[in-house]
Amino acid sequence: QVQLVESGGGLVQAGGSLRLSCAASGTIFSLYSMAWYRQAPGKERELVAGITSAGRTNYADSVKGRFTVSRDNAKNTVYLQMNSLKPEDTAVYYCNADYYYHVYWGQGTQVTVSS
């Protein structure tokens, strides 16, 4: 059974920074593509950033230049560094692991950005 546990969320002021972590257990982490999604109240869940097993990254246009996704395979952890945060970044952020038909989700961590 694969477990994904997010951490690092919290309350920050606009312009501030947060670093989210997603720790994986029970999986061959290095083989998985990892991603961060977010969902704000009343809105659909959206892809924020992704990183493949080879280290290639992609970002939603709304976060390009502000967010950076990275992974440390030795620690079985993926990170999302969030800078220049805006109130519209407020959402529950979810970690996702994907290896062919094997897909797993974390429980989410709340990020709130105050104006």
Side-chain angles (χ1 to χ4, degrees), residues 30-75:
S30 62
L31 297 180
Y32 280 75
S33 291
M34 305 295 297
W36 289 96
Y37 289 74
R38 68 186 181 188
Q39 187 167 26
K43 297 184 178 180
E44 297 181 357
R45 187 172 299 187
E46 64 174 346
L47 176 66
V48 177
I51 183 166
T52 71
S53 60
R56 289 185 287 272
T57 60
N58 65 92
Y59 300 91
D61 288 341
S62 60
V63 306
K64 285 182 179 178
R66 300 189 297 120
F67 291 9
T68 302
V69 63
S70 61
R71 65 192 299 161
D72 186 341
N73 290 338
K75 297 181 178 179

Side-chain angles (χ1 to χ4, degrees), residues 80-99:
L80 185 66
Q81 179 67 47
M82 305 185 294
N83 299 324
S84 302
L85 283 162
K86 304 174 180 179
E88 50 262 45
D89 295 319
T90 295
V92 177
Y93 284 70
Y94 296 91
C95 182
N96 168 271
D98 189 340
Y99 181 66

Side-chain angles (χ1 to χ4, degrees), residues 2-9 19-25 27 29 32-37 51 69-81 93-98 104-109:
V2 174
Q3 305 286 338
L4 301 175
V5 180
E6 301 98 331
S7 62
R19 189 195 195 199
L20 305 184
S21 298
C22 173
S25 62
T27 184
F29 179 80
Y32 280 75
S33 291
M34 305 295 297
W36 289 96
Y37 289 74
I51 183 166
V69 63
S70 61
R71 65 192 299 161
D72 186 341
N73 290 338
K75 297 181 178 179
N76 284 5
T77 302
V78 63
Y79 304 95
L80 185 66
Q81 179 67 47
Y93 284 70
Y94 296 91
C95 182
N96 168 271
D98 189 340
Y104 303 94
W105 293 91
Q107 83 290 342
T109 185

